[in-house]
Amino acid sequence: QAAWFTSVSDYRIKDNVRPISAVIDDLHPYTYFNRLSGKEDMGFIAHELQEQFPFLVNGEKDGKDYQSVNYIGLIGLLVKELQDLKKKIQKLQARIAILEARK
């Protein structure tokens, strides 16, 4: 059974809206065994992600409580990176088509 999850995202609650300029190049995704859940998992080490995106991490490294990551917050960054890649691919395909037409 799947749970339904939504996050409030209405424009009326947002200030200082601007395009994402960050990139994922310096992020380090890992696979790992999660001792709390007893399961294999994948994701980020919170304090490493905090260096790039402090607003996506709650808590302090080695603090009293475990740190947590707002993975939903990463979706915008990932979509932006996919869009950038698609644009680059389209440009390369156009160049290839021009080169092939010259043959």
Side-chain angles (χ1 to χ4, degrees), residues 52-66:
Q52 300 294 317
F53 302 103
F55 53 88
L56 292 179
V57 178
N58 293 314
E60 296 179 28
K61 180 182 178 189
D62 300 322
K64 182 180 82 110
D65 297 318
Y66 294 124

Side-chain angles (χ1 to χ4, degrees), residues 18-58:
R18 58 200 181 280
I20 295 173
S21 61
V23 294
I24 61 174
D25 298 355
D26 294 328
L27 299 183
H28 304 285
Y30 300 99
T31 61
Y32 53 87
F33 181 80
N34 184 318
R35 292 191 308 253
L36 290 179
S37 69
K39 297 179 180 178
E40 194 71 21
D41 209 343
M42 61 177 63
F44 299 95
I45 305 298
H47 72 270
E48 290 182 2
L49 183 65
Q50 194 172 37
E51 293 173 10
Q52 300 294 317
F53 302 103
F55 53 88
L56 292 179
V57 178
N58 293 314

Side-chain angles (χ1 to χ4, degrees), residues 3-18:
W4 183 268
F5 175 80
T6 62
S7 180
V8 176
S9 188
D10 194 288
Y11 74 94
R12 294 173 291 179
I13 65 166
K14 299 176 182 181
D15 293 326
N16 198 20
V17 175
R18 58 200 181 280

Side-chain angles (χ1 to χ4, degrees), residues 43-89:
F44 299 95
I45 305 298
H47 72 270
E48 290 182 2
L49 183 65
Q50 194 172 37
E51 293 173 10
Q52 300 294 317
F53 302 103
F55 53 88
L56 292 179
V57 178
N58 293 314
E60 296 179 28
K61 180 182 178 189
D62 300 322
K64 182 180 82 110
D65 297 318
Y66 294 124
Q67 289 185 290
S68 62
V69 171
N70 172 6
Y71 282 99
I72 300 298
L74 286 169
I75 292 173
L77 176 61
L78 298 176
V79 169
K80 180 250 182 208
E81 289 280 354
L82 285 171
Q83 290 171 333
D84 290 351
L85 285 172
K86 285 179 70 174
K87 288 176 187 173
K88 288 178 184 178
I89 290 169

